[in-house]
Amino acid sequence: MKYILVTGGVISGIGKGVIASSIGTILKHCGLHVTSIKIDPYINIDAGTFSPFEHGEVFVLDDGGEVDLDLGNYERFLDVTLHRANNITTGKIYQQVIECERRGDYLGKTVQVVPHITDAIQDWVENVAKIPVTDDGKEPEVCIIELGGTIGDIEGMPFVEAFRQFQFRVSHESFCCVHVSLVPQPKSTGESKTKPTQASVKELRGSGLSPDLIVCRSEMPIIDEVKQKISNFCHVKPDRVICIHDCTSTYRVPLMLEEQGLIQFFSERLQLNIAKATPKPKKFMWKWRDLADRHDNVRKVIEIALVGKYTQLEDAYASVTKALQHSALFVNRRLILSYIEATSLEEATKVENPVKYHQAWQILCRSEGVIVPGGFGKRGMEGKIAAVTWCRTTRKPFLGICLGLQAAVIEFTRNVMHLKDANTTEIDPDTPHPVVIDMPEHNPGQMGEKLYNSSSNIGNIESVDERHRHRYEVNPNYVERIEAAGLHFVGRDESGTRMEIMELPVSTHPYFVATQYHPEYISRPLKPSPPYLGLLLAAVGKIQPYLSNAMSSNTTSEDGENSGTSLVSILL
């Protein structure tokens, strides 16, 4: 097993996750099996209880683990399936060590950060690195470990010490350290300032780790003289100082790293013997190169409105954004994603701040498609329902995710079935028409993971496996009445009692679809999520030709209703 530790300096959010994912992408294209681990030094057990304003989106893994959004980058870039153990937090490590102490595993010894915490970290890394993450079930050959935060943070010190020891536990040829650092370029002078990088490398070396490769993040490209200066003061060879400046898309990052000799470096440093086996430059990563070129060269645009409650921080909807970008690229469009704060669409805002209200509605009306993503709580719910009403009545392409499905069901029962005050018990426990109710598995006293993963039966598609993150769902007692009124639940869980996918027939609406699960979690750059792809196809006016082609290959009728076939099942 080869281990690549990625650390960061100067500031957080510098792009360690993208750099780590890009390194993995390159090595995977060299024929290696790659896995990854994200270390978050916070004391939380996992990311499940975080507000989206804290760290952005909570990403859900296939086994139900709620983790940092960087693991979403790993899955998308590497096309792998990670597990909750691939995310290490201080809370998990301390919890494990304390449980061992309570069982008496340490035989009465004083439990300390060194060696007990640091040993637990090293053991965890070694064990998780061996877990297969690909469909072929093969054990990974390379494990990429991203240490969250910045070097010097007090929270990360036990992890830095653990890896100082770890480099001696494994051989020198099996461990290397990549340090990502900021090189500021003040507009007042135009110079590249190397002092912050020198200081962060000094801090890293003082902790017992020496970087084998320095990745310099900057706004503009760095000249050779600056690289030479960093090389001199940071004790690395000049060709081991890599520059990754701001570029048109993250798809460019693996290509930029490869162009600067990363394959040769890892082949020599970790004795991987991949340099000779790598295809010729024109053929190497050609699909990835084509993806980056298409992203840069697309000219036509498509505007999608996202109606949510965490719109002040774009990372709160990171996977939704990526899934929309994947689908936009598939239909040869550049995505313009306009964020609308759900409360801005509500009547109360019309009175309190009419300018904000009308601006929000103007964005909603001019957009070519609307998505209402997941969320929790009362705030903004009526605004989301108002957006759903607009989409349903004007035939605007609509996709609801999780809470978005619940908002669509509430809107339909209120305005089509005339069930006044229909609501979810999350918002109104005393509603006379509880069309959305609490899951029986949910324990109100236990915070954290609140989901189940299931297979959903969809029309003539046998099943799909998807990821969930919710506590409430459609009340089975209302399903028959809702379907009789025209809203169809075309996907259900294996028991048939949980509503997973709903849609209006294509004869009445070009695209009005919602899912209780989160399809964005398994969207990939080269394989867009079907529900998201359907939204983009409908937004550009290509949904009918796409469905017709798909149905003709399956000898189904043009209206998409032959043999019980639903719109979503055709997309899938």
Side-chain angles (χ1 to χ4, degrees):
M1 178 65 66
K2 308 294 183 181
Y3 300 91
I4 300 172
L5 175 66
V6 180
T7 62
V10 185
I11 61 171
S12 60
I14 199 171
K16 297 187 301 296
V18 174
I19 297 296
S21 302
S22 299
I23 291 172
T25 300
I26 293 171
L27 296 178
K28 184 174 180 178
H29 279 82
C30 291
L32 297 171
H33 282 72
V34 182
T35 187
S36 61
I37 295 174
K38 172 66 190 298
I39 296 175
D40 291 304
Y42 45 67
I43 299 176
N44 303 63
I45 299 298
D46 59 32
T49 56
F50 280 143
S51 161
F53 296 125
E54 284 286 318
H55 289 269
E57 167 192 80
V58 175
F59 189 80
V60 178
L61 298 172
D62 189 65
D63 62 0
E66 296 180 322
V67 296
D68 184 86
L69 59 83
D70 276 326
L71 276 85
N73 276 330
Y74 301 150
E75 287 205 341
R76 283 186 287 268
F77 270 62
L78 302 177
D79 194 18
V80 295
T81 301
L82 300 176
H83 315 284
R84 56 165 54 88
N86 289 83
N87 185 210
I88 304 176
T89 68
T90 296
K92 286 182 180 179
I93 295 295
Y94 273 78
Q95 184 182 55
Q96 182 189 79
V97 171
I98 290 170
E99 287 174 354
C100 289
E101 187 272 334
R102 291 289 86 187
R103 287 196 305 265
D105 294 355
Y106 299 123
L107 303 177
K109 291 183 178 179
T110 302
V111 180
Q112 298 174 292
V113 173
V114 180
H116 300 98
I117 296 296
T118 53
D119 282 353
I121 294 168
Q122 295 175 70
D123 292 342
W124 191 304
V125 168
E126 279 196 310
N127 293 333
V128 172
K130 299 173 184 177
I131 300 174
V133 293
T134 50
D135 292 337
D136 60 15
K138 291 186 178 179
E139 185 176 306
E141 299 159 279
V142 179
C143 179
I144 299 171
I145 307 152
E146 179 194 349
L147 177 56
T150 57
I151 292 299
D153 292 347
I154 192 169
E155 296 93 342
M157 287 181 178
F159 294 98
V160 174
E161 171 59 21
F163 285 108
R164 184 196 68 77
Q165 300 173 22
F166 190 72
Q167 64 186 329
F168 302 113
R169 179 190 284 206
V170 299
S171 64
H172 177 72
E173 295 77 21
S174 297
F175 180 88
C176 79
C177 179
V178 176
H179 188 62
V180 185
S181 183
L182 177 69
V183 177
Q185 296 171 319
K187 286 183 170 59
S188 58
T189 62
E191 293 181 279
S192 297
K193 299 297 184 181
T194 64
K195 272 291 188 291
T197 296
Q198 293 178 42
S200 82
V201 171
K202 182 180 179 180
E203 181 82 30
L204 181 64
R205 291 172 65 84
S207 301
L209 288 171
S210 295
D212 298 286
L213 187 76
I214 297 177
V215 179
C216 300
R217 285 285 291 111
S218 60
E219 186 177 353
M220 302 297 292
I222 294 172
I223 60 176
D224 289 340
E225 286 81 357
V226 174
K227 288 186 179 182
Q228 184 65 52
K229 186 175 182 180
I230 292 173
S231 169
N232 288 339
F233 285 96
C234 296
H235 198 63
V236 295
K237 294 180 180 179
D239 61 352
R240 294 187 179 183
V241 179
I242 304 292
C243 170
I244 299 295
H245 58 82
D246 292 350
C247 50
T248 51
S249 76
T250 54
Y251 303 135
R252 284 281 167 205
V253 178
L255 303 174
M256 294 169 69
L257 289 171
E258 187 269 329
E259 288 167 359
Q260 297 181 67
L262 212 68
I263 295 175
Q264 186 68 34
F265 164 73
F266 283 120
S267 183
E268 294 175 358
R269 175 64 182 80
L270 297 176
Q271 298 183 0
L272 291 170
N273 299 318
I274 55 176
K276 294 181 180 179
T278 304
K280 294 180 180 179
K282 288 185 178 180
K283 293 184 179 180
F284 183 67
M285 295 181 69
W286 69 269
K287 287 185 178 180
W288 200 267
R289 199 176 303 275
D290 177 66
L291 182 69
D293 289 341
R294 284 195 291 119
H295 178 276
D296 293 349
N297 296 325
V298 68
R299 293 291 177 263
K300 295 180 180 179
V301 300
I302 182 75
E303 182 175 11
I304 301 295
L306 185 153
V307 181
K309 63 183 292 187
Y310 311 116
T311 54
Q312 296 97 318
L313 182 65
E314 292 184 9
D315 270 355
Y317 300 106
S319 291
V320 171
T321 302
K322 295 297 183 183
L324 289 170
Q325 290 173 345
H326 300 162
S327 296
L329 206 53
F330 187 91
V331 299
N332 198 33
R333 293 293 191 278
R334 179 168 59 85
L335 177 69
I336 296 177
L337 186 57
S338 298
Y339 294 89
I340 301 176
E341 180 69 31
T343 54
S344 300
L345 300 173
E346 297 176 357
E347 288 299 314
T349 304
K350 186 177 182 179
V351 176
E352 297 167 4
N353 192 337
V355 173
K356 187 177 182 180
Y357 173 84
H358 289 293
Q359 286 176 341
W361 274 100
Q362 184 181 41
I363 295 172
L364 187 72
C365 294
R366 77 173 185 230
S367 66
E368 293 153 282
V370 176
I371 182 167
V372 177
F376 299 94
K378 179 179 180 179
R379 184 173 64 85
M381 188 61 169
E382 292 302 321
K384 293 176 182 180
I385 292 172
V388 174
T389 303
W390 172 259
C391 292
R392 182 181 57 79
T393 56
T394 63
R395 293 171 58 86
K396 178 89 71 176
F398 165 79
L399 176 63
I401 304 296
C402 195
L403 187 65
L405 177 143
Q406 297 168 18
V409 169
I410 294 169
E411 190 280 332
F412 188 85
T413 52
R414 286 181 184 177
N415 299 324
V416 177
M417 299 172 60
H418 306 294
L419 299 179
K420 187 181 178 182
D421 298 325
N423 214 327
T424 167
T425 55
E426 179 182 14
I427 294 172
D428 183 5
D430 301 319
T431 174
H433 298 291
V435 293
V436 177
I437 59 173
D438 197 0
M439 289 172 57
E441 296 90 343
H442 172 226
N443 178 359
Q446 181 66 42
M447 299 297 289
E449 293 175 0
K450 38 195 168 286
L451 59 139
Y452 66 98
N453 284 1
S454 73
S455 298
S456 302
N457 298 315
I458 303 166
N460 63 347
I461 301 296
E462 189 171 317
S463 70
V464 292
D465 294 315
E466 295 285 352
R467 306 178 187 182
H468 301 69
R469 186 172 192 255
H470 67 287
R471 293 190 178 114
Y472 294 83
E473 58 187 62
V474 178
N475 188 341
N477 295 332
Y478 283 85
V479 169
E480 188 174 343
R481 294 168 61 187
I482 293 172
E483 291 199 311
L487 185 64
H488 299 162
F489 294 103
V490 297
R492 307 188 182 197
D493 78 331
E494 293 164 317
S495 69
T497 58
R498 302 179 187 277
M499 304 303 112
E500 297 287 344
I501 307 172
M502 51 135 278
E503 66 177 42
L504 285 175
V506 292
S507 57
T508 61
H509 197 292
Y511 196 80
F512 191 89
V513 172
T515 66
Q516 184 62 69
Y517 60 85
H518 289 261
E520 65 270 16
Y521 290 142
I522 58 174
S523 182
R524 300 290 183 262
L526 298 172
K527 189 180 178 183
S529 162
Y532 282 85
L533 178 58
L535 175 67
L536 269 294
L537 285 167
V540 299
K542 294 183 178 181
I543 186 70
Q544 284 302 331
Y546 186 90
L547 294 177
S548 297
N549 290 336
M551 287 188 291
S552 62
S553 64
N554 290 296
T555 62
T556 59
S557 65
E558 280 196 6
D559 63 6
E561 296 177 359
N562 189 44
S563 302
T565 301
S566 72
L567 182 153
V568 176
S569 70
I570 298 169
L571 289 169
L572 291 168

